[in-house]
């Protein structure tokens, strides 16, 4: 009894503290350490740029924005404790993140229960659509990406597809949607490895004895994709490689080199955020240099904060009102383009680009319009 | 007749894959790395009786050290490799003085706790110094050669051979030199050895540093063949423990053999259709470790272990 009384008093005291704050607190969750940290560092830097800009211009309705960043380490357990801290200790009004789908899916129930809107800039797992009313994302869902990838394979006449996936929510999302959009029986090799696996030689040995047309390198991090591609090529696999957003990385090219030459992948367009000397791209490059992963991730994170700042400025910090305004959004004009949200909180208006490693560089082949 | 009945197409394909040279090559590459780790660990356990839970991080320190000397300091490749081993030795020596030396005489399980703390500290230091993106030690182009129907790169061949050279040198030191005789005497009867004038504290220090150098070589091996990421340490340590426990806690030969054996089992687990089906790749380590546990149920002292203490 006594203890619960003390706890209640403490909670009230804490709540009172934050109620009196003159800042608007916004939380951030993303992988700041670990194999996937390149996305986290880029998106956090992008959010910081926007916070600094807004604060320099006087903040939101005269209040400064306070950004509180937590490390989700690209896994559910760390993201959940990060979300708990942001919601219960820091009393944030909204959360940007997680970045990895595993993070977003774990943080979602906590944000949902606390009625705090959450916008993920990078998570693309199809499961995020159903994660809750308060859960939004500025990144297109893999339910659509798997379909685009499957279409490319079908168009090229690749009827026998091998897929090597890492066991994370993102990679599993890709794996299931690609399979669902290919004719039955097209997947002739379907193996899932633990995150962090470095030895793919025996799987590549099996592939060598198998008849197939294309291999989808479906890993979550540069470290994984590098070894999958390098070891398969070393063992004499000559079939073309395909990939997703995680292959859209300068680090992968630097590490795998020849092995990924000619690899085709789909991702959001690198041209998001470009155009002109005052574009987001030039601001990011000036402040932080070349992105560690991909500028489009950073652009969408920059826009996620922009939308929140806009809506909080007009509707105040109440979670319910922010949520309703997000659904009612009629074409936000961000650095990445003009977009809005559908009834699942999924972004409408951001499409894909088909890209390829050519002569050691990432080349954009064509744009696939948003659905 | 009975043999003929057994020799069904499924069985012959099983034999074909089992004997596939490529699987053996794969196991040799993975096993050499594990053997370098296990050899040092087994030596430390045999001589000092302590567990070093930070060995994986020490391996990474060696690997990252060599990477830094080669890519950032611009040293020639052979110097960078030797430098990496020296860095691993220095880190190990410091670790011994601060985290093992002051504790292991009081209770042999104390270093278990202190080296776990050390491993967490080293994880943080590695992440801070080398950031999260993967690093590989480039040897400038990979040349792949084929051996029958199997392939192997020249650098992998050199790495596997170097491992054999290193481990043979270690065996020679233990068996053929006065220093090795002192080590073996200390293992068999520490206080008797001490009363005969063997400087056991110095010996312990040297053996501990030796294990760090072997681990550092393993880290360099990993950096050349695959890539280094800062959070890898713990899983490397655990694999090495599996090898020394399976091999018998006091048997260096057993630890090395079992490191290769576990690597082979891991390749066979997913590289061969078992009764017509492939075991999903995610269960690779699970299956190999399950086999080890079954083996330990039958032979609790380990495959090569005996009740007498020896190295």
């Amino acid at each position: 009894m006594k203890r619960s009384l003390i706890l209640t008093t403490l909670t009230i005291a804490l709540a009172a503290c934050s109620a009196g704050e003159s800042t608007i607190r916004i939380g951030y969750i993303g992988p700041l350490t670990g194999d996937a940290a390149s996305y986290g560092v880029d998106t956090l830097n992008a959010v910081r740029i926007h916070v600094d800009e807004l604060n320099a211009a006087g903040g939101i309705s005269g209040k400064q924005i306070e950004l509180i960043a937590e490390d989700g380490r690209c896994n559910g357990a760390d993201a959940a404790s990060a979300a708990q801290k942001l919601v219960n200790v820091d009393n944030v009004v909204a959360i940007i993140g997680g970045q990895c789908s595993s993070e977003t899916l774990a943080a979602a129930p906590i944000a949902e229960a606390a009625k705090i809107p959450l916008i993920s800039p990078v998570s693309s797992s199809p499961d995020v659509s159903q994660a809750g009313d308060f859960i939004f994302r500025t990144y297109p869902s893999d339910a659509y990406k798997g379909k685009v990838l499957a279409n490319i394979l079908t168009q090229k006449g690749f009827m026998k597809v091998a897929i090597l996936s890492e066991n994370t929510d993102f990679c599993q999302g890709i794996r299931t949607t690609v399979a669902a959009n290919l004719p039955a029986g097209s997947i002739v090799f379907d193996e899932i490895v633990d995150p962090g696996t470095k030895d793919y030689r025996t799987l590549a040995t099996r592939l060598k004895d198998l008849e197939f047309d294309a291999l989808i390198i479906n890993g979550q991090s540069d470290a994984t994709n590098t070894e999958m591609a390098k070891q398969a090529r070393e063992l004499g696999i000559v079939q073309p490689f395909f990939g997703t957003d995680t292959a859209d990385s300068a680090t992968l090219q630097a590490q795998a080199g020849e092995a990924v030459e000619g690899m085709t992948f789909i991702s959001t367009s690198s041209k998001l955020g470009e155009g002109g000397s005052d574009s987001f791209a030039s601001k990011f490059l000036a402040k932080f240099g070349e992105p560690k992963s991909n500028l489009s991730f950073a652009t969408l994170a920059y826009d996620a904060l922009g939308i929140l700042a806009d809506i909080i400025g007009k509707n105040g910090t109440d979670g319910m009102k922010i949520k309703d305004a997000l659904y009612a959004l009629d074409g936000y004009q961000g650095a990445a383009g003009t977009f809005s949200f559908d009834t699942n909180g999924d972004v409408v208006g951001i499409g894909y680009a088909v890209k390829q490693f050519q002569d050691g560089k990432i080349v954009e082949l064509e744009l696939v319009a948003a659905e | 007749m009975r043999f003929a009945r057994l020799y069904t197409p499924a069985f012959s394909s099983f034999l074909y894959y089992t004997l596939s040279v490529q699987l053996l090559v794969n196991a040799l590459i993975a096993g050499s790395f594990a053997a370098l780790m296990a050899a040092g660990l087994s030596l430390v356990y045999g001589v000092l009786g302590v567990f070093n839970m930070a060995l994986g991080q020490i391996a990474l320190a060696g690997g990252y050290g060599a990477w830094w000397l080669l890519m950032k300091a611009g040293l020639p490749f052979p110097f960078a490799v030797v430098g990496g081993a020296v860095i691993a030795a220095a880190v190990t020596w410091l670790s011994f003085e601060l985290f093992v030396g002051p504790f292991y005489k009081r209770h042999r399980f104390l270093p278990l706790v202190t080296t776990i703390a050390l491993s967490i500290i080293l994880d943080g230091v590695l992440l801070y110094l080398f950031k999260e993106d993967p690093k590989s030690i480039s040897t400038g182009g990979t040349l792949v050669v084929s051996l029958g129907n199997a392939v192997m790169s020249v650098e992998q061949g050199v790495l596997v051979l170097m491992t054999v050279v290193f481990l043979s040198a270690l065996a020679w030191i233990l068996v053929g030199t006065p220093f090795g005789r002192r080590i073996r005497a200390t293992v068999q009867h520490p206080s008797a050895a001490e009363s005969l004038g063997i400087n056991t504290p110095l010996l312990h220090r040297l053996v501990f540093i030796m294990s760090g150098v072997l681990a550092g070589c393993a880290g360099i091996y990993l950096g050349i063949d695959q890539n280094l990421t800062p959070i890898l340490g713990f899983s490397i340590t655990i694999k090495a423990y599996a090898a020394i426990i399976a091999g018998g806690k006091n048997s260096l030969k057993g630890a090395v053999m079992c490191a290769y054996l576990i690597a082979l089992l891991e390749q066979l687990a997913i590289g061969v259709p078992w009764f017509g089906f492939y075991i999903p790749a995610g269960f690779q380590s699970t299956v190999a470790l399950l086999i080890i546990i079954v083996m330990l149920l039958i032979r609790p002292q380990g495959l090569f272990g005996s009740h007498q203490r020896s190295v």
Side-chain angles (χ1 to χ4, degrees):
Chain A
M1 263 321 271
K2 208 172 204 174
R3 184 172 292 170
S4 70
L5 196 71
I6 295 172
L7 269 178
T8 319
T9 324
L10 262 176
T11 317
I12 293 169
L14 273 175
C17 269
S18 59
E21 293 280 354
S22 60
T23 58
I24 291 173
R25 288 179 162 186
I26 291 178
Y28 167 94
I29 301 172
L32 301 177
T33 58
D35 280 358
S38 56
Y39 325 132
V41 174
D42 283 347
T43 50
L44 179 59
N45 283 343
V47 174
R48 280 198 180 126
I49 290 179
H50 214 154
V51 168
D52 291 347
E53 280 173 8
L54 289 166
N55 282 345
I60 305 173
S61 318
K63 285 184 178 179
Q64 292 282 297
I65 305 168
E66 189 185 344
L67 183 68
I68 300 163
E70 291 293 329
D71 189 0
R73 296 196 186 135
C74 201
N75 71 65
D78 283 304
S81 43
Q84 289 287 7
K85 178 189 172 268
L86 290 174
V87 167
N88 297 321
V89 180
D90 298 322
N91 292 305
V92 297
V93 297
I95 295 173
I96 294 178
Q99 315 304 322
C100 295
S101 296
S102 310
E103 292 176 339
T104 305
L105 291 171
I110 298 159
E112 185 77 12
K115 298 195 172 8
I116 289 185
L118 177 150
I119 305 183
S120 168
V122 182
S123 297
S124 56
S125 163
D127 294 340
V128 175
S129 299
Q130 306 303 328
D133 259 2
F134 286 80
I135 313 305
F136 297 82
R137 58 172 151 189
T138 50
Y139 202 85
S141 164
D142 292 332
Y144 178 47
K145 187 186 302 162
K147 202 166 154 187
V148 173
L149 190 55
N151 281 345
I152 294 173
L153 291 166
T154 321
Q155 274 166 22
K156 290 189 189 275
F158 294 145
M159 299 312 290
K160 288 178 177 165
V161 177
I163 181 163
L164 193 51
S165 312
E166 192 171 347
N167 195 3
T168 63
D169 285 332
F170 165 79
C171 297
Q172 292 307 308
I174 296 281
R175 176 177 161 262
T176 36
T177 49
V178 167
N181 286 290
L182 282 174
S186 306
I187 304 275
V188 291
F189 180 93
D190 180 17
E191 283 290 355
I192 305 160
V193 298
D194 283 337
T197 302
K198 293 218 185 274
D199 183 1
Y200 297 95
R201 292 198 178 86
T202 291
L203 293 174
T205 307
R206 269 172 57 194
L207 276 171
K208 216 171 114 187
D209 292 332
L210 191 77
E211 218 178 284
F212 69 99
D213 302 322
L215 172 65
I216 301 176
I217 305 253
N218 184 20
Q220 175 102 32
S221 69
D222 289 325
T224 312
N225 286 332
T226 301
E227 290 313 312
M228 284 180 178
K230 230 171 67 181
Q231 293 178 19
R233 286 287 185 246
E234 263 175 38
L235 280 158
I237 306 289
V238 292
Q239 282 89 341
F241 289 164
F242 286 82
T244 59
D245 324 48
T246 57
D248 199 353
S249 152
T251 311
L252 175 62
Q253 210 290 318
Q255 289 286 315
E258 277 290 294
V260 292
E261 182 63 26
M263 179 174 177
T264 310
F265 54 90
I266 49 171
S267 177
T268 37
S269 171
S270 321
K271 297 188 172 68
L272 293 183
E274 278 183 11
S277 57
D278 60 342
S279 68
F280 168 70
S282 48
K283 278 187 252 175
F284 189 93
L285 290 173
K287 194 153 184 192
F288 298 106
E290 283 294 322
K292 294 197 164 214
S293 54
N294 175 335
L295 193 67
S296 57
F297 298 156
T299 312
L300 293 167
Y302 178 85
D303 282 350
L305 188 95
I307 298 170
L308 280 174
D310 244 30
I311 287 179
I312 293 170
K314 283 176 199 150
N315 301 280
T317 57
D318 180 62
M320 278 305 263
K321 281 186 186 151
I322 299 175
K323 180 202 80 173
D324 291 338
L326 280 168
Y327 282 116
L329 196 68
D330 185 25
Y332 171 80
Q333 292 203 337
T338 305
F339 54 89
S340 54
F341 296 105
D342 71 7
T343 49
N344 287 326
D346 281 336
V347 70
V348 180
I350 302 289
Y352 288 112
V354 182
K355 304 184 189 182
Q356 195 169 45
F357 284 107
Q358 286 179 4
D359 302 321
K361 287 202 174 62
I362 295 172
V363 176
E364 223 164 286
L365 298 182
E366 59 173 320
L367 285 173
V368 183
E371 214 170 49
Chain B
M1 269 323 276
R2 195 172 274 174
F3 179 76
R5 275 236 306 281
L6 254 174
Y7 204 77
T8 56
F11 187 68
S12 78
S13 86
F14 175 83
L15 268 184
Y16 168 76
Y17 280 105
T18 314
L19 299 174
S20 155
V21 185
Q22 187 68 59
L23 284 186
L24 293 179
V25 170
N26 297 347
L28 209 56
I29 297 169
S32 297
F33 168 76
L36 281 172
M37 293 294 299
L41 207 58
S42 158
L43 209 56
V44 166
Y45 184 79
V47 178
L48 282 75
V50 302
F51 289 109
N52 177 8
M53 296 305 284
L55 200 68
Q57 281 78 6
I58 289 171
L60 289 180
Y64 274 118
W67 173 85
W68 189 86
L69 290 172
L70 181 73
M71 312 296 274
K72 296 286 163 182
L75 253 58
F77 186 74
F79 291 101
V81 169
V82 173
V86 170
I87 290 173
V91 173
T92 319
W93 179 62
L94 256 176
S95 307
F96 182 85
E97 297 302 335
L98 297 175
F99 290 86
V100 179
F103 305 106
Y104 77 109
K105 290 280 182 209
R106 295 184 188 277
H107 194 290
R108 50 188 284 265
F109 282 154
L110 273 176
L112 184 69
V113 181
T114 54
T115 54
I116 286 177
L118 173 65
S119 74
I120 294 169
I121 295 168
L122 286 179
D123 265 342
V125 171
L126 287 171
L127 183 68
Y128 177 76
L129 289 178
F130 299 103
K131 305 292 178 269
E132 50 291 318
D133 52 317
K135 305 268 189 293
S136 54
I137 302 170
S138 159
T139 51
T142 310
L143 185 66
V144 177
V145 290
S146 54
L147 320 152
N149 55 358
V151 293
M152 187 184 210
S153 73
V154 173
E155 51 190 45
Q156 284 159 359
V158 173
L159 288 171
V160 168
L161 283 180
M162 287 300 283
T163 307
V164 174
V165 170
F166 269 52
L167 295 177
S168 310
L170 183 68
W172 176 75
I173 289 174
L174 284 176
V175 180
T177 66
F179 175 63
R181 255 197 312 282
R182 283 190 211 118
I183 293 179
R184 283 181 295 142
T186 313
V187 172
Q188 276 169 13
H189 208 303
S191 39
E194 204 157 346
S195 71
L196 286 170
I198 293 174
N199 185 350
T200 47
L202 178 71
L203 200 76
H204 285 174
R205 197 165 278 130
L206 287 175
V207 164
F208 199 82
I209 293 173
M210 225 153 81
S211 81
V213 172
L214 284 170
C217 291
I220 297 168
Y221 186 117
L222 190 71
I224 294 174
D225 183 42
Q226 300 171 14
N227 59 42
L228 301 162
T229 37
I231 46 165
L232 210 65
F234 187 67
S235 55
I236 301 177
T237 313
I238 291 302
K239 280 253 172 84
Y241 273 105
I244 73 162
I245 288 165
K249 282 174 303 194
N250 293 318
S251 164
L252 176 67
K253 184 179 71 185
V256 170
M257 293 298 202
C258 281
Y260 282 104
L261 181 70
I262 291 174
L264 181 63
L265 286 174
E266 284 193 343
Q267 309 301 324
L268 288 180
I270 60 164
V272 175
W274 295 90
F275 311 106
F277 293 98
Y278 285 103
I279 294 170
F283 293 100
Q284 183 173 30
S285 320
T286 318
V287 171
L289 294 178
L290 258 179
I291 295 173
I292 294 296
I293 287 179
V294 171
M295 209 185 71
L296 282 176
L297 285 173
I298 302 165
R299 243 187 103 79
Q301 69 272 42
L303 207 53
F304 296 83
S306 66
H307 294 293
Q308 198 199 342
R309 278 165 70 91
S310 69
V311 175

